[in-house]
């Protein structure tokens, strides 16, 4: 998982495609600046930060690594607006509330290449999504739960945020895989 995330992180920065060829990259006074916006300040994102720092060196770009401390969509939107105003030239983002962030994501996409990671915003004008099919990943987890509890049992699901689209999709996949089994989900909580 760590290796996959690191590779995805490196490819996100590389995917902006203009690190080596852009006029700004040739102008030593104005390096290419991209941004990597997470959906919260969890330790999980420190792996991505390490990948971004490596990519900065490998691709000769500067990257603003932004984590909304409170994990709120309003905070993330404000941070994206600030990055647009600063003139970053590319953005990778894990949108907190994709359905309600389409306008700000489209505003970013109008100014720069925009890639979603970890959580997708398929209705936005993003170039691509790099991440897991969260529903299918949830189904795989559900299958592992059935394997671990062949006689059934009671479980609690944990997600980073209850209202995050990727968490909703993963939980739905787990529930789908557990249909008809003797496994009972007591609750879904945040970790």
């Amino acid at each position: 998982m760590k290796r996959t995330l690191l590779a995805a992180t490196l490819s996100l920065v590389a995917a902006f495609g203009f690190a080596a060829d852009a006029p700004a990259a040739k102008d030593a006074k104005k390096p290419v600046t991209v941004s990597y916006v997470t959906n919260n300040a969890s330790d999980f994102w420190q792996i991505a930060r390490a990948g971004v720092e490596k990519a900065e060196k490998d691709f000769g770009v500067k990257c603003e690594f932004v984590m909304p401390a409170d994990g709120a969509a309003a905070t993330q939107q404000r941070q994206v607006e600030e990055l647009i105003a600063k003139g970053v030239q590319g953005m990778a983002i894990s949108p907190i509330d994709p359905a309600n962030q389409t306008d700000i994501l489209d505003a970013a996409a109008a100014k720069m290449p925009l890639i979603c990671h970890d959580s997708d915003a398929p209705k936005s004008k993003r170039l691509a999504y790099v991440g897991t099919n969260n529903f299918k990943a949830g189904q795989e987890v559900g299958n592992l739960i059935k394997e671990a509890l062949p006689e059934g049992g009671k479980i609690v699901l944990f997600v980073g945020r209850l209202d995050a689209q990727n968490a909703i999709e993963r939980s739905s996949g787990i529930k789908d895989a557990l249909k008809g089994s003797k496994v009972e989900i007591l609750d879904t909580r945040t970790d």
Side-chain angles (χ1 to χ4, degrees):
M1 173 70 174
K2 287 182 182 180
R3 225 179 263 160
T4 303
L5 185 56
L6 178 60
T9 304
L10 292 172
S11 62
L12 283 172
V13 176
F16 291 124
F18 49 85
D21 299 327
K26 293 176 183 170
D27 181 358
K29 294 178 185 177
K30 189 174 181 183
V32 171
T33 301
V34 296
S35 57
Y36 191 98
V37 183
T38 72
N39 58 13
N40 62 42
S42 146
D43 287 343
F44 168 82
W45 292 110
Q46 295 310 317
I47 300 164
R49 183 188 292 272
V52 166
E53 289 170 357
K54 181 172 181 354
E56 283 182 303
K57 294 174 188 165
D58 291 351
F59 298 108
V61 298
K62 181 180 181 313
C63 185
E64 303 235 3
F65 194 92
V66 178
M67 296 191 300
D70 61 4
T75 302
Q76 188 182 54
Q77 178 161 333
R78 188 175 59 255
Q79 291 170 326
V80 169
E81 289 168 347
E82 289 170 3
L83 291 165
I84 292 170
K86 282 183 178 180
V88 297
Q89 296 156 293
M91 182 179 296
I93 185 169
S94 178
I96 293 170
D97 183 6
N100 293 310
Q101 290 180 296
T102 302
D103 289 344
I104 188 64
L105 296 172
D106 287 351
K111 302 272 186 186
M112 68 190 81
L114 176 75
I115 296 171
C116 290
H117 63 92
D118 182 56
S119 181
D120 195 13
K123 294 182 180 174
S124 73
K125 294 179 180 173
R126 52 96 170 125
L127 292 176
Y129 167 61
V130 177
T132 304
N133 178 318
N134 292 301
F135 183 79
K136 287 183 179 180
Q139 287 178 316
E140 290 299 319
V141 170
N143 291 332
L144 290 171
I145 292 168
K146 289 190 296 189
E147 188 178 306
L149 300 171
E151 302 302 316
K154 296 178 181 185
I155 65 169
V156 174
L157 303 181
F158 286 89
V159 297
R161 291 180 51 97
L162 292 171
D163 59 349
Q165 188 61 38
N166 55 358
I168 292 167
E169 291 169 3
R170 289 175 193 156
S171 297
S172 295
I174 292 170
K175 291 171 185 172
D176 181 69
L178 294 178
K179 282 181 192 169
S181 75
K182 294 180 182 179
V183 177
E184 179 186 353
I185 300 172
L186 298 176
D187 199 4
T188 302
R189 299 197 178 174
T190 58
D191 59 1

